Amino acid sequence: MPVLSGAEPFSHDGSDDIGVLLCHGFTSTPQSMRAWGEHLAAEGLTVRCPLLPGHGTRWQDLNRTTWQDWYRAVEDELAELRGRCSSVFVFGQSMGGTLTLRLAQEHPDIAGIVLVNPSVLTERKAARMLPLLSRVLPSLGGIPGDIAKPGGFELAYQRLPLRAMASLQQLWGVVRPDLGRIRQPVLLYRSEVDHIVEPVNSSVVLDGVRSEDLTEVVLTDSFHVVTLDHDAPRVFSGSVEFLQRIHRDRVEEVV
């Protein structure tokens, strides 16, 4: 299937000092991360934002993939950045945050991570039926574009593919027990009002990681898709300050 216009991956070759891998959310596309990527590129950084398998075409394609496929795609991009840049950071939104956490668990040389409304669980009672329901029902109505900003638009599927959602649920079960393996610096942005990911997700992440450099920022003017919402400029500038500080400290340690 052809990729939807606007859903294409984003790539920019900049500095060999700092590289950033951007991970988009479930049913979403790099469109939701492009403004962030362009901001980082304008700072002279090397940036990669892949289109995850099954995304950016039609929702049925997502049901043919699993979390291992999505993880393999971001891990491949990480390997390329690690071979090019001395400090590599990973930034993720929603499920992209879940993938970011897994990368940090598996690759301790990652310099730092930035999370935006990361998901590691859901308290919705219907989710208990997901493994069974996904075997008989392909999809349900989705909730794309949870954005407070008038006119905000997220290029994402209008349907929620249930087999793929069940696989995401499996990924949560892999990531949560290993949160203690994460010791890299963490900057976590959480929306005060989020209609997709419950606040408990951020609490579980903050309580579980073992990072000494750990910061939570609560955003009051945005819903779930912060990178397309009112607080996007704050996240963009804050993430640059974060990675520049971490990279500077790493360089000083070497010297």
Side-chain angles (χ1 to χ4, degrees):
M1 290 294 295
V3 173
L4 297 172
S5 178
E8 301 85 1
F10 179 84
S11 177
H12 175 77
D13 292 333
S15 168
D16 289 342
D17 293 327
I18 303 175
V20 182
L21 171 60
L22 296 173
C23 305
H24 69 74
F26 185 70
T27 75
S28 190
T29 67
Q31 177 264 351
S32 65
M33 308 293 275
R34 185 169 296 274
W36 199 356
E38 290 175 347
H39 182 92
L40 297 168
E43 293 288 336
L45 309 178
T46 292
V47 186
R48 300 288 185 270
C49 182
L51 174 64
L52 300 180
H55 294 74
T57 52
R58 56 177 192 162
W59 66 262
Q60 292 90 339
D61 294 331
L62 188 50
N63 262 342
R64 299 187 179 98
T65 66
T66 66
W67 74 262
Q68 289 91 343
D69 298 315
W70 317 326
Y71 182 74
R72 191 176 304 116
V74 294
E75 193 173 41
D76 287 346
E77 294 288 345
L78 175 65
E80 191 268 333
L81 282 175
R82 291 164 72 204
R84 175 189 178 103
C85 302
S86 56
S87 292
V88 177
F89 296 80
V90 185
F91 298 174
Q93 179 167 246
S94 195
M95 182 192 75
T98 320
L99 294 170
T100 297
L101 289 165
R102 190 58 183 165
L103 287 172
Q105 291 167 350
E106 295 283 283
H107 301 280
D109 60 318
I110 290 173
I113 63 175
V114 177
L115 308 168
V116 180
N117 293 323
S119 70
V120 292
L121 57 86
T122 182
E123 295 183 325
R124 295 180 176 91
K125 294 181 180 179
R128 301 173 186 173
M129 298 297 296
L130 186 57
L132 178 61
L133 189 63
S134 64
R135 297 177 185 177
V136 297
L137 189 64
S139 70
L140 291 174
I143 316 176
D146 187 33
I147 303 169
K149 184 178 181 179
F153 170 74
E154 179 189 21
L155 182 58
Y157 294 143
Q158 301 295 315
R159 303 291 297 177
L160 184 68
L162 294 188
R163 283 191 290 275
M165 186 67 209
S167 188
L168 172 56
Q169 194 175 57
Q170 293 172 357
L171 175 59
W172 292 341
V174 171
V175 169
R176 283 197 312 274
D178 281 350
L179 285 173
R181 295 172 58 186
I182 298 176
R183 299 180 180 274
Q184 299 96 328
V186 176
L187 173 59
L188 188 151
Y189 289 98
R190 174 177 67 82
S191 296
E192 190 172 61
V193 178
D194 186 333
H195 302 98
I196 308 297
V197 172
E198 303 101 316
V200 67
N201 284 267
S202 293
S203 298
V204 169
V205 171
L206 293 169
D207 291 342
V209 300
R210 294 294 178 264
S211 307
E212 294 183 3
D213 187 336
L214 178 61
T215 303
E216 178 187 26
V217 178
V218 179
L219 306 172
T220 59
D221 295 324
S222 299
F223 294 159
H224 181 66
V225 192
V226 175
T227 52
L228 298 173
D229 218 324
H230 293 294
D231 290 300
R234 182 181 179 186
V235 171
F236 299 168
S237 60
S239 66
V240 170
E241 292 172 2
F242 171 79
L243 66 79
Q244 288 178 338
R245 173 176 62 82
I246 300 303
H247 177 68
R248 183 173 60 250
D249 290 346
R250 286 164 59 91
V251 171
E252 291 175 354
E253 286 180 4
V254 173
V255 175

